[in-house]
């Protein structure tokens, strides 16, 4: 057969066939008129080269597989030399993966150092080039009360176990006596990473860091007003949340609910921002669905009171404090 027919049957280009031939991987016969004549064996070898290339084995290293076919074996990897080539290719990929992982980790470390250089918890002390997550832009849309939390007061917390940033695990239906404050939030920004596109236009989305800072600044007052525990909770990984706790110097732990189990158990409101790819290198298990901002006051295993919707988030801890003081008994 002619070279064009071979290329068509094997699913490659004519240029690729000529390259394989230059390497001696396929050896057509010559007709009396000087034209090359390719056989079904050449088709099989060419298709095998293509399949191996898709696995990541370079064309130049496919000879052992073709020799195995030429020896009469039904499969190109029936021979010890073929298996050895698999092992060598795997070793090469492993080395490349290690090298790329090392480079990625180094880049992340440089990004974090650069992003946090001069970053403090107060806007006045931040470098002029640093994004300020501790203040809010003007004219943020105010979230409307859609009734999505009306069913929660009087509802018992489910027996879910969530990981906390201090290394502990918290069983939600075993919070103990007294009042526990659990504020749910969508996603805290991190220096060096842009917020999801359109984030400020989503009612109630912006302000997670400012809310955390407000709970930090009111933490002692909340305890004095009867809050035995305060937790922030989101669907981000514990490691991602731990960075926030350390950077903002939060005196309370965050809870991680990566599968939104609490949302499913209590039918809590969530939303999908649709642009979270830039966060995946730092929190790989991040979901496309995030918690809507909501705070629960829990007492003796029951949800006693709910704040929803919440606005402005940078003043919300003060709202919780006023409620606790009004119900101090």
């Amino acid at each position: 057969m002619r070279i064009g027919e071979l290329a068509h049957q094997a699913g490659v280009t004519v240029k690729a066939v000529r390259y394989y031939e230059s390497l001696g991987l396929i050896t057509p016969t010559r007709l009396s008129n000087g034209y090359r004549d390719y056989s079904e064996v050449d088709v099989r070898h060419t298709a095998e080269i293509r399949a191996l290339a898709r696995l990541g084995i370079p064309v130049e290293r496919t000879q052992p597989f073709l020799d195995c076919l030429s020896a009469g074996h039904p499969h190109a990897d029936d021979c010890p030399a073929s298996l050895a080539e698999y092992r060598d290719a795997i070793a090469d990929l492993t080395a490349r993966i290690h090298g790329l992982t090392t480079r990625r980790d180094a880049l992340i470390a440089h990004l974090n150092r650069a992003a946090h250089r001069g970053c403090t918890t107060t806007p006045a002390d931040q470098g002029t080039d640093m994004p300020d997550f501790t203040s809010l832009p003007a004219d943020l849309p105010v979230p409307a009360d859609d009734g999505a939390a009306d069913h929660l007061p009087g509802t018992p917390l489910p027996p879910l176990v969530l990981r906390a940033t201090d290394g502990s695990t918290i069983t939600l239906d075993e919070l103990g006596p007294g009042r526990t404050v659990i504020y749910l939030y969508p996603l805290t920004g991190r220096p060096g990473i842009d917020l999801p596109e359109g984030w400020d236009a989503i009612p109630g989305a912006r302000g997670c860091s400012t809310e955390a800072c407000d709970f930090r600044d009111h933490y002692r007052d909340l305890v004095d007003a009867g809050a035995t525990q305060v937790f922030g909770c989101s669907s981000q990984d514990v490691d991602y949340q731990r960075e926030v706790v350390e950077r903002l110097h939060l005196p309370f732990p965050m809870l991680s609910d990566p599968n939104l189990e609490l949302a499913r158990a209590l039918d809590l409101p969530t939303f999908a921002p649709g642009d979270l790819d830039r966060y995946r290198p730092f929190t790989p298990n991040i979901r496309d669905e995030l918690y809507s901002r909501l705070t629960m006051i829990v007492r003796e295993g029951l949800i006693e009171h709910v704040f929803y919707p919440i606005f402005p988030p940078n003043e919300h801890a003060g709202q919780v404090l006023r409620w606790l003081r009004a119900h101090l008994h």
Side-chain angles (χ1 to χ4, degrees):
M1 70 181 73
R2 300 289 293 273
I3 189 171
E5 184 179 355
L6 165 65
H8 177 72
Q9 289 191 28
V12 299
T13 65
V14 169
K15 184 177 180 180
V17 175
R18 288 180 176 143
Y19 179 61
Y20 303 160
E21 188 177 343
S22 72
L23 296 176
L25 299 176
I26 56 175
T27 54
T29 59
R30 289 278 185 175
L31 299 176
S32 58
N33 59 7
Y35 288 146
R36 295 177 178 85
D37 184 31
Y38 298 91
S39 66
E40 293 298 331
V41 171
D42 294 322
V43 174
R44 175 72 189 279
H45 283 199
T46 302
E48 188 65 34
I49 294 169
R50 178 173 178 264
L52 291 168
R54 287 182 169 180
L55 288 175
I57 296 178
V59 172
E60 298 80 3
R61 294 173 58 173
T62 58
Q63 189 66 62
F65 299 92
L66 305 183
D67 291 343
C68 194
L69 289 176
S70 297
H73 293 280
H75 303 286
D77 54 8
D78 282 340
C79 303
S82 303
L83 301 182
E85 193 60 49
Y86 277 152
R87 295 188 188 96
D88 289 344
I90 291 170
D92 288 346
L93 285 173
T94 301
R96 289 169 58 191
I97 290 170
H98 175 72
L100 290 171
T101 300
T102 300
R103 288 170 57 189
R104 183 198 64 186
D105 291 345
L107 283 169
I108 291 174
H110 279 273
L111 169 63
N112 287 336
R113 282 198 297 271
H116 290 77
R117 192 176 296 128
C119 184
T120 66
T121 58
T122 58
D125 295 332
Q126 289 183 343
T128 56
D129 294 331
M130 292 301 300
D132 181 9
F133 294 109
T134 61
S135 64
L136 295 176
D139 302 324
L140 284 178
V142 179
D145 189 352
D146 56 5
D150 291 350
H151 63 288
L152 291 175
T155 302
L157 286 187
L160 293 177
V161 179
L162 301 181
R163 294 178 61 199
T165 51
D166 61 1
S168 65
T169 55
I170 302 299
T171 304
L172 294 184
D173 65 342
E174 298 178 2
L175 293 175
R179 287 186 170 116
T180 296
V181 178
I182 303 176
Y183 74 89
L184 303 170
Y185 64 93
L187 171 76
T188 47
R190 174 179 285 191
I193 313 176
D194 292 334
L195 289 169
E197 185 175 353
W199 188 252
D200 288 359
I202 302 173
R206 180 70 182 267
C208 297
S209 293
T210 64
E211 183 180 26
C213 289
D214 198 40
F215 272 102
R216 175 199 65 198
D217 297 342
H218 285 86
Y219 177 72
R220 179 48 52 191
D221 294 332
L222 292 168
V223 172
D224 291 343
T228 57
Q229 299 176 98
V230 175
F231 297 109
C233 180
S234 74
S235 59
Q236 277 66 71
D237 292 343
V238 168
D239 289 340
Y240 183 93
Q241 294 176 321
R242 189 175 292 117
E243 185 275 338
V244 176
V245 171
E246 294 172 355
R247 173 163 49 86
L248 299 181
H249 305 290
L250 302 183
F252 52 85
M254 298 287 199
L255 303 180
S256 177
D257 185 13
N259 295 317
L260 283 89
E261 294 180 85
L262 184 58
R264 306 292 179 249
L266 295 178
D267 192 22
L268 300 178
T270 61
F271 70 98
D275 176 29
L276 296 172
D277 287 345
R278 68 195 65 184
Y279 284 85
R280 299 192 194 283
F282 303 92
T283 176
N285 297 323
I286 190 171
R287 301 172 64 94
D288 293 330
E289 185 180 8
L290 301 176
Y291 274 112
S292 296
R293 200 179 306 281
L294 178 149
T295 296
M296 299 181 291
I297 308 295
V298 179
R299 188 175 188 181
E300 297 180 358
L302 300 178
I303 300 173
E304 182 180 12
H305 186 75
V306 175
F307 295 87
Y308 177 85
I310 293 169
F311 195 86
N314 60 326
E315 299 177 7
H316 176 53
Q319 297 170 349
V320 175
L321 178 60
R322 288 191 292 274
W323 188 94
L324 287 174
R325 286 172 171 169
H327 296 81
L328 191 59
H329 56 78

